[in-house]
Each structure stands twice: as C-alpha cells, then as structure tokens.
Amino acid sequence: MRSFGLEEFGSLETSFFSWTVKDCSAAVAKEFPEMLFFGSEALPNVWRRILFCRLLHVQPYYFLVGAFEAWWNTAMAAQMTDAHRRFLQVLMSHGIMEGSEARKLHRRCCEIHKVYYAHDKLDDFISTINSHLQPLFMQIRKGMSEGDGRAHYALVNLAETEITKMASDYTENELELFRKTMDLIILSENGFASSTDILNLTDQLKTKKMKKKEAEQVLKVFVEDKWLSERNGEYTLHTRCIIEMEQYILSNYQDVARKCNICHSLAIQSQVCESCGIGMHLPCVRKYFRAQTEPRCPQCNDFWSCDIPGINRIDSQSPSKTGRAERSFILGTRRC
C-alpha cells in the first residue's frame, strides 16, 4: 500500500476536496459501485476523506476508526436484495414484530423476489440489512418479551438515545407523563405501575396540567403505539420500548436498572437474588431452574428464595416409572 508524508497528504487532500459532486459520483461509481446504495450526492466530508484514501491506496491514518469501519463493513457486506428491502419496509411499518411473524415475513419476501430461502437463516438475513443500515445509525435489534420469553425484532434509531425520539408524536405534557410513568415502573418492586398511581401523576406535571380523563386516553395511545403494555389495570414497558430505550434506561437509572444474568438484556420484570443482587427475567428464571436439581443462584450459589414461575418449590412424590420426584406446576409468581 502506498505511503505519503503528512504534508504531501494534506496537499493532495486539499485538491481532492475541491472535487465537485459530479467528480465524487464518478469516482464512487468506478471504484466501488456498491456504495451507490447510499447516494453519492449525500457524501459528507468524512466519507470523501475515506474515498480519497481508497482511490490513492493510502492507509487512513487520522480518520475516525468507527467511520472507516462503517464504510468498510458496508462495502464488504452482502448485497441488499429486494427481499431485504421489502422485509425492512414491513418492519418499519409495524415498529416491532414477534419472532414467528418475522420468520413468516422472511420466507414470504424471499418467495416473492425469488431469493434463496433457508428457514434457519433469519439472523443472517437481518445481519445483511444491518450492515447497510450501520452508516445510517439504524439497526434491527432482537429482544425478548418479559412476559412469555418470545423473541421480537424492532428497528432502532441509534442516533437518538432519549425519549426525544417520541417527541414528534406526542405533546410535551404527554411526554412528561410517559417519563413519570417510566419512573414508577422501573422503581417499582415488580416492574408494574397501577393505573391509579399513574393517573395521580397528572397533578405533578410541570409542563401543563392534564385531566385524568385525558390521561386515560393518553395511556391508551401509549399502549396502541407499543410503548406500554397493560394487564388488568397494571402497566409495564412494552417489549418495543425496552429494545429501543435499553441504553437510555441503563444510563439514567443506574442505581436500579440491571441486566438479566442469563440473557444479558435489560430486565424490568425480574427476580433478584437476596444475597448478591443479580437479576433474572421471569422466563429466564423458569428456563434456568428447570435444568437445575436445586434452586441456587447462578452467581453466588446461595439458595434462591423467590418462587420460581411455573414450578412448585415443593416436589411432590408422585408415582412414576422412574421413581423420581416430579415437579408440579403453579400459576403464581413472586418477585423478591
């Protein structure tokens, strides 16, 4: 690879930056046509610098490593097909999609556009899309429903890390109500907040007071838009909200927010070890302890004092061919 001194490099770069959009477009088309996916007309200066290095076969000494890696990963990534684009478009319209629905959509998109389909290659299919979304600061992320443990996929805007991403859809006092609702949910013992407690927040709004009837309608909208989930008058964060705002929550609720010790994702509805303080999603608790002979913490090995969802702590000695104790199932759960 050819090498340049900084003075010569700077002179060449200055000349290169005088190139017109037409010059840049021609260079892009000639050297790496796959980059036309982004539209050369919108090439910012950082991409022009990388392009400059590429054309001269120069190592980009002083460019942002992340920017170069984003370009390189995109250039080397598998090509987007119409099947990928259709999948992305449908996911964008839904906001979030359950795993089984995403697999059906994957198959349908491949069939429509006559692209090779493999039922176990959904994550690879999504990785191809993500490699092209990376320079746009967007990503399709996989998350888990805290209620039943099912996988979900959501399109996340990485450039916005706060609730401000909701700002275009809601008024200031609606956003304030959402923030205060999130406070109640995250600071609660079980990851839920009652409708009564949420409606009582209307008197505490600083932006603009809201009547309780209005607040009820706003909560319905939050549920419809998949930011909140409601069950028997109790509200929690929807899977979409957890996937999109995980980093925001971990940063702004550092004293109480924790990741699941099993799947390492943010855990809102969880059980916590009384000895070491680690947390686990309820589905992860159920899955983990079903494979264990004794209910002991995976971190400190102390006795797990919480009720295990779906499994009775007391083994019932029921007759069986193997003579082993069989676990009976219960519906109740308790969070420590």
Side-chain angles (χ1 to χ4, degrees), residues 199-243:
L199 294 178
N200 287 337
L201 295 172
T202 55
D203 297 329
Q204 305 173 24
L205 299 181
K206 297 178 181 179
T207 50
K208 181 183 177 183
K209 292 295 185 288
M210 183 185 298
K211 294 180 180 179
K212 291 187 177 181
K213 283 290 184 182
E214 293 178 89
E216 288 177 351
Q217 293 302 314
V218 173
L219 287 176
K220 287 183 180 179
V221 173
F222 286 150
V223 172
E224 291 172 0
D225 292 346
K226 300 176 183 178
W227 293 110
L228 296 177
S229 294
E230 185 269 339
R231 186 176 64 195
N232 299 326
E234 298 281 320
Y235 289 84
T236 189
L237 301 184
H238 193 281
T239 306
R240 175 193 180 186
C241 181
I242 295 175
I243 294 175

Side-chain angles (χ1 to χ4, degrees), residues 13 53 113 233 241 269 310 318:
E13 185 184 14
C53 290
H113 297 286
C241 181
Q269 301 174 51
S318 58

Side-chain angles (χ1 to χ4, degrees), residues 98-225:
E98 197 267 323
S100 62
E101 293 300 316
R103 288 189 289 274
K104 291 178 184 177
L105 177 62
H106 173 214
R107 179 173 183 173
R108 182 63 177 155
C109 291
C110 290
E111 289 175 348
I112 291 175
H113 297 286
K114 296 178 172 46
V115 174
Y116 171 73
Y117 166 76
H119 73 277
D120 58 345
K121 296 296 183 182
L122 173 60
D123 287 345
D124 292 340
F125 185 84
I126 290 176
S127 292
T128 297
I129 300 175
N130 281 339
S131 66
H132 290 275
L133 291 177
Q134 184 181 3
L136 307 178
F137 301 101
M138 300 188 76
Q139 185 182 64
I140 297 175
R141 282 187 176 172
K142 186 178 181 179
M144 180 191 75
S145 167
E146 295 193 325
D148 54 27
R150 291 186 298 177
H152 286 72
Y153 295 88
L155 183 64
V156 178
N157 187 345
L158 303 178
E160 296 178 343
T161 57
E162 290 191 40
I163 300 176
T164 50
K165 65 176 65 182
M166 301 168 61
S168 60
D169 298 321
Y170 307 102
T171 63
E172 288 186 12
N173 63 332
E174 289 172 347
L175 287 175
E176 187 181 0
L177 179 63
F178 183 83
R179 289 190 186 93
K180 289 185 178 296
T181 300
M182 182 181 284
D183 288 342
L184 284 180
I185 291 171
I186 295 175
L187 298 176
S188 69
E189 286 295 316
N190 60 0
F192 283 87
S194 70
S195 57
T196 302
D197 289 340
I198 296 175
L199 294 178
N200 287 337
L201 295 172
T202 55
D203 297 329
Q204 305 173 24
L205 299 181
K206 297 178 181 179
T207 50
K208 181 183 177 183
K209 292 295 185 288
M210 183 185 298
K211 294 180 180 179
K212 291 187 177 181
K213 283 290 184 182
E214 293 178 89
E216 288 177 351
Q217 293 302 314
V218 173
L219 287 176
K220 287 183 180 179
V221 173
F222 286 150
V223 172
E224 291 172 0
D225 292 346

Side-chain angles (χ1 to χ4, degrees), residues 35-138:
M35 291 298 290
L36 287 177
F37 171 78
F38 299 103
S40 54
E41 303 82 6
L43 277 178
N45 282 346
V46 67
W47 300 114
R48 293 188 186 216
R49 290 181 175 223
I50 293 170
L51 171 59
F52 170 67
C53 290
R54 178 76 170 86
L55 292 175
L56 295 180
H57 304 287
V58 183
Q59 286 282 9
Y61 301 105
Y62 54 97
F63 299 144
L64 294 174
V65 174
F68 179 75
E69 288 182 347
W71 167 81
W72 182 257
N73 291 339
T74 302
M76 296 296 105
Q79 290 298 296
M80 286 271 285
T81 67
D82 286 340
H84 294 92
R85 295 184 183 93
R86 180 181 289 269
F87 183 95
L88 178 58
Q89 186 177 24
V90 174
L91 181 59
M92 288 176 67
S93 67
H94 284 72
I96 188 170
M97 188 172 289
E98 197 267 323
S100 62
E101 293 300 316
R103 288 189 289 274
K104 291 178 184 177
L105 177 62
H106 173 214
R107 179 173 183 173
R108 182 63 177 155
C109 291
C110 290
E111 289 175 348
I112 291 175
H113 297 286
K114 296 178 172 46
V115 174
Y116 171 73
Y117 166 76
H119 73 277
D120 58 345
K121 296 296 183 182
L122 173 60
D123 287 345
D124 292 340
F125 185 84
I126 290 176
S127 292
T128 297
I129 300 175
N130 281 339
S131 66
H132 290 275
L133 291 177
Q134 184 181 3
L136 307 178
F137 301 101
M138 300 188 76

